[in-house]
Amino acid sequence: MQRYKIAVIAGDGIGPEVIAEGVKVLKKVAELDGGFEFEFTEFPWGCEYYLENGEMMPKNGIEILSKVDAIFLGAVGAPGVPDHISLWDLLLTIRKSFDQYVNLRPVKLLKGAPCPLKNVSESDVDMVFIRENSEGEYAGSGSWLFKNKPNEVVIQDGVFSRMGCERIIRYAYELAKKEHKTLTSISKANALNYSMVFWDQIFEEIGKEYPEVKTYSYLVDAASMFMIKDPKRFQVVVTSNLFGDILTDLGAAIAGGMGLAAGANINPERKFPSMFEPIHGSAPDIAGQGKANPLATVWSASQLLDFFGYTDWGKVLIDCIEEVLCEGKVLTADLGGINSTCEVGDEIIRKIENKRC
Ligand code: NAD
Ligand code: IPM
Ligand code: MN
């Protein structure tokens, strides 16, 4: 029997509510399959832990996590702890320590999901964002000079290494080639005259190795406009850390909302564990009320199954989400329903039982 060790970091706010449904779904899949099982270990790390212990996770947290096969994370961040501390000392530390340099975020309008755009069908919103996840604008490099003095200065560096740009752009070309899709690079070389000129140059250089891949290159301002006006232009998209962060929330908005947006933080070499999470935050405005939509977390569970090679099961979960959306009988409030997080999770479980691989 194949056994996978999964670290569960439910985190803050709605994190524990949605992750409970994700774990339930993964357990059900393993039970029905019978050929593999998950060993879940829960870690109570996050803002509450910080308020008690003065740190977001223990000093040997990364060492502990290095022994698992994957990490399943809810959300991090709570009022009362500065966001730059809670996120840098947990989520971003994990992504960086484990060199999860690919952030793979589908922006796909599932059947039955609401879309705020006019005259758009499912096939028009079918993209996958490959967001650089290890450096760029989120490298954490900079300085704060003359703090609290009249001549105070802050500098936040964007760090774009050749290795960092090449590997993410190559990953995107490989995906586009494998799936016979177009590849769009989103950058901003007209204003960012070092980092993005370099990015564009590397996009062209690597492109020479992939003559079969049709490419486009957009400036980020125009790209955001086209995502709304003409989303079918985009298939595989590769972009920097900051642009990918912003554009995938925009993507969520056109593909059913934050409650339906998932992301995988991947270390493609599998030297370290990868991490699967909904892309939304801890949503303090609805936390603790059973209102959170767990479907983004179920989608990230599907990405986890894909990652371990159980792509049939990954697809089953997406099919189940689509069925739940199309029927429209059991939905959370963000999708116009009246049901709780747990009821939506239970409905997914019922659908899985009817489908088994
Ligand atoms: P958010 O994603 O938490 O919430 C934005 C809006 O979307 C809110 O109105 C919220 O209610 C709604 N929403 C989000 N997820 C939902 C779900 N599953 N179901 C229904 N509605 C949902 O973003 P924010 O408010 O900017 O950030 C809140 C906190 O989360 C901050 O501390 C922030 O730093 C943190 N954050 C963490 C992560 C992460 O852990 N991956 C990601 C983004 C933000
Ligand atoms: C996301 C989040 C994080 C990011 C934050 C919370 C650091 O917004 O996963 O999209 O910017 O990567
Ligand atoms: Mn984000």
Side-chain angles (χ1 to χ4, degrees), residues 87 91-92 95 103 105 131 133 138 241 245 249 277 279:
L87 274 311
L91 180 79
L92 295 176
R95 287 184 187 163
N103 193 187
R105 297 185 159 185
R131 167 191 178 193
N133 211 29
Y138 295 2
N241 213 331
D245 184 21
D249 265 37
E277 53 168 348
I279 80 166

Side-chain angles (χ1 to χ4, degrees), residues 101-114:
Y101 63 86
V102 176
N103 193 187
L104 193 153
R105 297 185 159 185
V107 174
K108 182 174 164 57
L109 184 63
L110 296 185
K111 282 188 219 122

Side-chain angles (χ1 to χ4, degrees), residues 93-339:
T93 298
I94 297 172
R95 287 184 187 163
K96 285 168 199 286
S97 303
F98 292 145
D99 208 12
Q100 295 166 347
Y101 63 86
V102 176
N103 193 187
L104 193 153
R105 297 185 159 185
V107 174
K108 182 174 164 57
L109 184 63
L110 296 185
K111 282 188 219 122
C115 180
L117 308 180
K118 267 194 265 172
N119 306 323
V120 158
S121 66
E122 283 100 33
S123 60
D124 294 332
V125 182
D126 189 0
M127 337 174 181
V128 57
F129 269 73
I130 305 300
R131 167 191 178 193
E132 204 293 320
N133 211 29
S134 66
E135 52 169 35
E137 307 86 341
Y138 295 2
S141 160
S143 39
W144 198 314
L145 305 173
F146 316 116
K147 209 166 188 171
N148 300 324
K149 303 257 169 52
N151 53 343
E152 193 165 15
V153 176
V154 297
I155 298 165
Q156 184 89 46
D157 301 316
V159 175
F160 290 76
S161 66
R162 176 166 278 281
M163 182 194 80
C165 295
E166 281 187 0
R167 66 185 183 176
I168 194 69
I169 288 173
R170 184 167 277 113
Y171 185 95
Y173 269 107
E174 283 291 332
L175 183 67
K177 179 178 163 184
K178 189 173 114 212
E179 300 200 340
H180 306 288
K181 299 260 172 79
T182 64
L183 175 62
T184 300
S185 162
I186 297 180
S187 62
K188 182 72 187 172
N190 53 0
L192 297 171
N193 53 341
Y194 296 104
S195 57
M196 291 294 165
V197 172
F198 186 59
W199 175 281
D200 284 356
Q201 182 191 312
I202 292 179
F203 184 67
E204 263 193 39
E205 276 173 28
I206 307 268
K208 298 207 173 75
E209 298 169 31
Y210 298 89
E212 63 278 69
V213 177
K214 171 119 189 72
T215 61
Y216 300 92
S217 187
Y218 290 114
L219 295 163
V220 65
D221 41 2
S224 12
M225 179 273 294
F226 281 131
M227 276 180 72
I228 303 294
K229 297 279 282 184
D230 191 19
K232 63 179 175 309
R233 283 172 188 249
F234 303 94
Q235 294 184 347
V236 179
V237 178
V238 64
T239 190
S240 71
N241 213 331
L242 171 67
F243 295 166
D245 184 21
I246 298 170
L247 292 174
T248 52
D249 265 37
L250 181 70
I254 63 171
M258 294 310 288
L260 272 171
N265 304 272
I266 296 174
N267 171 246
E269 291 76 26
R270 299 189 185 224
K271 197 168 151 204
F272 304 106
S274 291
M275 177 163 67
F276 301 83
E277 53 168 348
I279 80 166
H280 61 69
S282 54
D285 53 340
I286 56 165
Q289 303 168 39
K291 285 186 184 166
N293 187 347
L295 294 177
T297 308
V298 175
W299 195 331
S300 59
S302 156
Q303 291 189 304
L304 183 150
L305 290 163
D306 286 349
F307 182 75
F308 286 127
Y310 304 108
T311 48
D312 290 349
W313 278 115
K315 176 148 188 335
V316 164
L317 293 194
I318 301 298
D319 292 347
C320 292
I321 298 174
E322 286 192 321
E323 270 181 38
V324 169
L325 292 171
C326 287
E327 288 173 10
K329 284 190 291 208
V330 184
L331 296 173
T332 43
D334 57 312
L335 295 176
I338 53 159
N339 297 96

